[in-house]
Amino acid sequence: MDIRPVFRDGLKLFMLDQRLLPHREVFLEYHDAAGVAGGISDMVVRGAPAIGIAAAYGIALEAFKAPDSELFQDIGRAAAILMASRPTAVNLAWAVNRMVRTAGEAGQMRPQAIRARLLAEADAILAEDIEMNRRIGSFGAALLPDRCRVMTHCNAGALATGGFGTALGVIRAARNAGKDISVISCETRPYLQGARLTCWELVRDGFDVTLITDNSAAWQMASGNVDCVIVGADRIAANGDTANKIGTLSHAIAAGRYGIPFYVAAPSSTLDASLPDGSGIPIEQRDPSEVVSFGGVRVAAEGVSVANPSFDVTPAGLISAIITDRGVFKPGPDGYRF
Ligand code: MRU
C-alpha cells in the first residue's frame, strides 16, 4: 500500500505524525494555517517536498476560514506564518509563493471561487509532486546497475514527499525495473530519520535494508560494500551546491575518496535559481536537547555547549549527478547548468 503522509478529506488536512514512527501510525487533523505551520515546525511532517505540500494546504484551508472582506489579508498572514515555520527547504517558499500567486491571479473572481481555486492548486501541488517523483525514479533507475548496494542518508522517501519519494523513489523504480537492489540506511543522528523512517518505509516494502551508524559510513565505503550513494535535497543552488540533512557532506567526501558515485535526487521545486551557490542557503539550527539526550535520556554532561545544525551544504564538485524530474544533470566543464 502506498504511503501518503499528507492528504485532505474535504476541508480537513491529515498528516501522518512522523514523530511517532515506527511505533505508531497516527494521522493528525488540521484546519488552518497556524496549525499546519505548527505541524511543520514540530516535525509532524518533514522532508522538503512534504512541507511544501502541507504549507499549500495550510493557505487553502485558511482561505476557507477567512471572511470575504479579509480574504487577501488572511492569505498574506497565513503565507508569512507558514514561510517562517522552517528555513532551509526551498520547497516551502516555492509552494507558498505559488499559492499566493494563484490567489492574485484569481483576484477578480468571487471569494468562494477563489477559495475553490486555492484548494485545487494545493491538490495540484500534491499530485504533481508524486508525478515528479515517478519521473525522478525512472531517470535515476537507469543509473543503477543490477545487484546495486545503495547507501542513503536521512529520509527522502514517500514520507518526505507527496508519495513514492525522491532518493527512495529511485531505489523503488530500480527494483520495479527488475534490478536487485539492497540499501544501507544511515541512522541520521540526532533526529534518526534514517533509523526511524527510511527503515520503516523500506522494511514495509520488503527491501533488504541494513541500518548503520552515521560514523560507520566511510568504513562501509572503504570496505567495498557500497556501489553508490543517493540522497535527497532541501535546496539546490544554481551551481548545483546542495543542502541536505547534516551528515550528507561527510558521505559525499568519503564517496569521492573511494570513487563511489554520489547522486542527489530532487524535484524541480527544490532548485533555487536565485542563489548562485550554496553559501546563501539558510541552515536551520535545532534545539540542543536533540544532541545531549538519546531516547529521552540525558547522555552529555550538564553545562556543555551544543552545536546542532540540521543541514549541511555539499559542494557541486562532489556530486556525480543530480537526478530531477526533468532528467539527469551531470556537471559540464563549467559545472552544473539546469
Ligand atoms: O529535517 P528533515 O527531516 O525535514 O530533513 C529532510 C531531509 O534532509 C531530506 O533529505 C530532504 O528534505 C529531501 S526529502 C525528499
Side-chain angles (χ1 to χ4, degrees):
M1 257 228 322
D2 283 356
I3 300 166
R4 293 289 155 88
V6 180
F7 68 90
R8 85 169 170 93
D9 183 6
L11 290 180
K12 294 178 192 161
L13 182 68
F14 291 91
M15 302 205 291
L16 179 58
D17 189 346
Q18 299 192 27
R19 300 168 303 183
L20 303 180
L21 292 173
H23 307 296
R24 289 168 59 208
E25 292 173 40
V26 175
F27 281 88
L28 302 180
E29 191 178 314
Y30 295 87
H31 309 100
D32 57 27
V36 173
I40 293 171
S41 52
D42 293 346
M43 304 286 277
V44 170
V45 65
R46 34 64 50 201
I51 64 181
I53 293 162
Y57 278 117
I59 290 184
L61 296 182
E62 196 65 31
F64 276 88
K65 290 189 64 193
D68 288 356
S69 58
E70 287 162 32
L71 184 56
F72 281 92
Q73 287 104 296
D74 284 7
I75 289 171
R77 206 165 32 235
I81 294 170
L82 287 157
M83 286 275 210
S85 58
R86 282 192 85 188
T88 303
V90 75
N91 308 63
L92 180 62
W94 172 86
V96 168
N97 288 335
R98 179 165 158 179
M99 293 297 285
V100 169
R101 218 169 34 243
T102 300
E105 284 162 10
Q108 300 310 314
M109 297 165 92
R110 284 174 298 109
Q112 202 53 9
I114 297 173
R115 295 183 182 102
R117 182 75 194 74
L118 287 170
L119 201 53
E121 194 69 12
D123 287 342
I125 287 173
L126 169 58
E128 286 168 23
D129 185 68
I130 298 170
E131 180 53 32
M132 286 193 285
N133 291 339
R134 297 247 171 221
R135 291 175 63 80
I136 291 167
S138 56
F139 286 127
L143 296 174
L144 304 194
D146 193 16
R147 288 190 294 281
C148 187
R149 296 157 305 169
V150 184
M151 177 178 283
T152 190
H153 189 69
C154 192
N155 172 264
L159 288 169
T161 63
F164 200 64
T166 57
L168 299 195
V170 171
I171 288 167
R172 288 192 165 99
R175 184 173 74 170
N176 292 346
K179 294 178 181 174
D180 179 5
I181 307 290
S182 60
V183 182
I184 293 179
S185 170
C186 298
E187 65 177 349
T188 319
R189 273 281 288 158
Y191 206 75
L192 302 180
Q193 288 93 332
R196 295 191 305 106
L197 308 177
T198 292
C199 292
W200 178 77
E201 271 199 51
L202 294 180
V203 167
R204 196 174 180 272
D205 275 4
F207 276 94
D208 169 1
V209 53
T210 302
L211 175 64
I212 64 164
T213 57
D214 300 326
N215 47 9
S216 65
W219 178 243
Q220 292 295 341
M221 294 188 215
S223 304
N225 295 334
V226 180
D227 297 309
C228 72
V229 181
I230 311 181
V231 296
D234 287 82
R235 193 184 294 234
I236 302 174
N239 72 341
D241 289 353
T242 295
N244 190 50
K245 180 53 56 193
I246 192 76
T248 301
L249 172 60
S250 314
H251 300 328
I253 292 169
R257 170 69 178 77
Y258 292 105
I260 295 167
F262 183 91
Y263 299 125
V264 170
S268 316
S269 50
T270 305
L271 299 175
D272 185 351
S274 76
L275 294 180
D277 60 47
S279 62
I281 298 177
I283 301 294
E284 177 182 9
Q285 304 293 325
R286 293 186 59 82
D287 200 277
S289 61
E290 291 179 353
V291 179
V292 296
S293 303
F294 195 87
V297 177
R298 176 122 194 160
V299 292
E302 296 289 346
V304 71
S305 301
V306 171
N308 188 16
S310 193
F311 300 93
D312 55 30
V313 177
T314 298
L318 292 175
I319 301 170
S320 314
I322 298 180
I323 308 160
T324 77
D325 49 288
R326 303 201 301 245
V328 176
F329 292 85
K330 291 193 174 165
D334 305 328
Y336 281 95
R337 289 204 183 281
F338 297 106

